[in-house]
């Protein structure tokens, strides 16, 4: 009997969290306010922020989808900072988006990132002027990612980064319907949903297939 009561209490808590998350647009959150200002000043109007529970990343993709009211688990995405570990000695920052030391790639949680496709894309982008062996994209150490973006792990977003890092958007995200996806919102407890077309217009990412299902 006690177990049954405990289970009912936990179910009610879960329902309340879902209701609060669904109704809370994080309008009073300082980070959400700052990023919202950046988006609006760049003609982005179709976006929203939501506060999520502290155990968000311990939950299944289906549970996260429900918390965000996302259309599917495929609409849940993440931003990853990459470092070119084999870059030429004069490539030390992000001043040349075609041959940058760092990139941010946005991929779905349901997809597997393929670093080889990025290597091939950047090699072609530079028209063979940079040897292919000079491209080796790997996950940047957390400290470097934090310093470059100003956001900690599980909070990274492409909007409002400390450094103007070139962005790669996986083509699979562009093909999602409806064209509105979710990613980090600058804080671990904050998630941002945005219209894909407006994201592309503002961020101007490189778009190509860089993952496998």
């Amino acid at each position: 009997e006690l177990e049954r009561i405990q289970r009912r209490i936990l179910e009610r808590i879960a329902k309340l969290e879902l209701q609060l998350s669904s109704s809370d647009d994080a309008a009073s959150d300082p980070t959400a306010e700052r990023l919202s200002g950046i988006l609006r000043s760049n003609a982005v109007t179709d976006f929203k922020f939501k506060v999520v529970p502290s155990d968000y990343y311990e939950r299944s993709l289906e549970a996260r989808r429900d918390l965000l009211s996302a259309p599917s688990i495929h609409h849940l995405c993440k931003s990853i900072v990459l470092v070119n570990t084999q870059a030429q000695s004069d490539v030390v920052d992000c001043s040349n988006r075609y041959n940058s030391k760092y990139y941010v790639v946005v991929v779905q949680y349901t997809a597997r990132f393929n670093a080889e496709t990025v290597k091939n894309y950047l090699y072609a982008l530079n028209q063979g002027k940079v040897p292919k062996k000079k491209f080796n994209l790997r996950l940047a150490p957390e400290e470097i990612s934090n310093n470059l973006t100003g956001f900690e792990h599980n909070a990274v977003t492409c909007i409002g980064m400390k450094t103007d890092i070139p962005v790669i958007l996986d083509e699979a995200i562009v093909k999602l319907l409806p064209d509105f996806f979710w990613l980090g919102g600058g804080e671990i407890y904050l998630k941002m949903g945005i219209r894909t077309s407006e994201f592309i217009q503002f961020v101007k990412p490189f778009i190509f297939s860089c993952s496998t299902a």
Side-chain angles (χ1 to χ4, degrees), residues 6-67:
Q6 288 176 329
R7 188 165 58 249
R8 286 180 61 188
I9 291 172
L10 289 172
E11 288 172 354
R12 289 179 66 185
I13 290 173
K15 286 181 180 178
L16 284 170
E17 281 187 334
L18 181 57
Q19 289 170 1
L20 287 170
S21 177
S22 298
S23 61
D24 186 0
D25 62 358
S28 61
D29 183 85
T31 299
E33 287 182 357
R34 181 177 76 86
L35 299 185
S36 294
I38 293 172
L39 290 168
R40 291 194 186 98
S41 65
N42 286 277
V44 178
T45 58
D46 196 355
F47 65 90
K48 64 177 69 173
F49 287 89
K50 282 193 177 181
V51 172
V52 296
S54 58
D55 64 347
Y56 177 82
Y57 284 104
E58 297 170 21
R59 304 192 184 198
S60 67
L61 290 178
E62 288 76 14
R64 299 184 208 175
R65 173 201 62 201
D66 294 342
L67 283 168

Side-chain angles (χ1 to χ4, degrees), residues 122-139:
L122 293 175
Y123 174 71
L125 193 65
N126 285 272
Q127 301 177 326
K129 296 175 183 176
V130 180
K132 184 175 281 191
K133 65 181 180 180
K134 291 299 180 180
F135 296 107
N136 186 50
L137 281 300
R138 291 290 179 265
L139 185 67

Side-chain angles (χ1 to χ4, degrees), residues 14-160:
K15 286 181 180 178
L16 284 170
E17 281 187 334
L18 181 57
Q19 289 170 1
L20 287 170
S21 177
S22 298
S23 61
D24 186 0
D25 62 358
S28 61
D29 183 85
T31 299
E33 287 182 357
R34 181 177 76 86
L35 299 185
S36 294
I38 293 172
L39 290 168
R40 291 194 186 98
S41 65
N42 286 277
V44 178
T45 58
D46 196 355
F47 65 90
K48 64 177 69 173
F49 287 89
K50 282 193 177 181
V51 172
V52 296
S54 58
D55 64 347
Y56 177 82
Y57 284 104
E58 297 170 21
R59 304 192 184 198
S60 67
L61 290 178
E62 288 76 14
R64 299 184 208 175
R65 173 201 62 201
D66 294 342
L67 283 168
L68 298 174
S69 299
S72 76
I73 58 174
H74 306 296
H75 286 74
L76 307 180
C77 305
K78 56 185 173 181
S79 302
I80 304 170
V81 179
L82 304 176
V83 55
N84 184 358
T85 61
Q86 297 298 320
Q88 295 164 301
S89 58
D90 60 337
V91 178
V92 295
D93 55 25
C94 304
S95 56
N96 179 3
R97 72 192 307 259
Y98 299 105
N99 186 16
S100 176
K101 178 71 173 179
Y102 305 97
Y103 287 91
V104 172
V105 61
V106 183
V107 293
Q108 298 159 293
Y109 273 99
T110 55
R112 178 176 296 175
F113 172 64
N114 186 339
E116 193 66 20
T117 60
V118 178
K119 174 180 180 177
N120 294 335
Y121 180 86
L122 293 175
Y123 174 71
L125 193 65
N126 285 272
Q127 301 177 326
K129 296 175 183 176
V130 180
K132 184 175 281 191
K133 65 181 180 180
K134 291 299 180 180
F135 296 107
N136 186 50
L137 281 300
R138 291 290 179 265
L139 185 67
E142 192 170 326
E143 183 179 356
I144 290 177
S145 175
N146 293 354
N147 290 338
L148 287 172
T149 65
F151 304 123
E152 59 183 318
H153 181 60
N154 285 335
V156 178
T157 187
C158 309
I159 311 301

